[in-house]
Amino acid sequence: MSAETGSRARQRERTRRALLREGRRLFTEHGYGGVGLSGIVEAAEVTKGALYHHFEGKPGLFHAVLEEVQGEVACAVAEAADAHEDPWDQLRAGCRAFLRASTAPDVRRIMLVDGPAVLGWSAWRSLDEAGSAHHLREALTGLVEAGVLRPQPVAPLAHLLSGAMNEAALWLAGSGGPESLDDVWTALSGILESLRAR
């Protein structure tokens, strides 16, 4: 690769990063519907042509921002779970990490509020399945197989717990934020405990 080609590649990546950064900031502050294309390119200090070079307009940029946010949440969940040896403790730590991450304004607005509305439920669920929901299903499968959880179908259980955590995250965001996390965690812990084999 020539020096000139390398320089152009670095510039393209800087442009892409600027669009993602400013898009994320604006979508968080104003919501998807409150952000115009001209505002995004002005904030990122690029042209509309540059945005269309990297993304399919505002919807494409939002999709990329949502993937970035969901990826960060999935990493936070996996990191919290991996800090424990016991599979039950891993599940609990991962669930709590998801709730904690979801109190961030950008996660709430982009992932939980605008994500399903902008992409549509099916497309949003597909992204969720590839991230946090996938880890949750794997953890539950391992716990059922190990006899820690009562024998039961894992797929519907994973969807139910995922839905409960998404709703809890939205409730947290609208009713006091991080300081209410302990109350939500107490309720969710009770649900998790009720699934354990006795």
Side-chain angles (χ1 to χ4, degrees):
M1 180 187 297
S2 70
E4 185 178 343
T5 303
S7 177
R8 282 198 303 267
R10 285 190 297 276
Q11 180 57 44
R12 281 194 299 274
E13 183 56 24
R14 278 196 296 272
T15 299
R16 185 176 186 282
R17 293 304 317 159
L19 285 163
L20 285 168
R21 182 184 64 247
E22 293 305 321
R24 182 171 179 161
R25 181 181 66 80
L26 291 169
F27 292 141
T28 300
E29 291 174 6
H30 305 289
Y32 180 83
V35 177
L37 206 57
S38 58
I40 295 169
V41 297
E42 183 180 323
E45 298 180 347
V46 301
T47 64
K48 284 186 180 179
L51 185 143
Y52 280 106
H53 175 74
H54 292 280
F55 307 102
E56 292 181 7
K58 187 173 91 165
L61 174 61
F62 180 81
H63 192 279
V65 168
L66 175 59
E67 282 184 320
E68 183 178 79
V69 170
Q70 284 189 315
E72 290 171 7
V73 172
C75 283
V77 168
E79 188 176 303
D82 289 346
H84 299 272
E85 292 291 325
D86 180 72
W88 177 250
D89 292 337
Q90 288 177 339
L91 174 69
R92 289 173 51 83
C95 290
R96 189 173 177 100
F98 175 83
L99 292 175
R100 191 179 313 110
S102 298
T103 62
D106 56 346
V107 174
R108 177 194 167 272
R109 185 63 185 245
I110 293 167
M111 190 174 92
L112 299 172
V113 176
D114 283 348
V118 174
L119 268 64
W121 180 251
S122 295
W124 181 83
R125 277 300 297 162
S126 293
L127 278 179
D128 190 45
E129 282 292 321
S132 300
H134 173 74
H135 295 297
L136 177 61
R137 192 171 53 252
E138 283 185 344
L140 292 171
T141 298
L143 289 167
V144 168
E145 289 172 353
V148 176
L149 296 183
R150 294 191 313 272
Q152 58 195 291
V154 170
L157 177 61
H159 280 277
L160 287 167
L161 284 177
S162 180
M165 287 189 289
N166 286 339
E167 281 297 317
L170 285 169
W171 183 83
L172 270 174
S175 63
E179 61 273 8
S180 303
L181 181 60
D182 287 341
D183 291 339
V184 172
W185 179 242
T186 298
L188 183 60
S189 291
I191 293 172
L192 292 174
E193 286 293 334
S194 73
L195 301 171
R196 295 189 74 170
R198 299 299 177 203

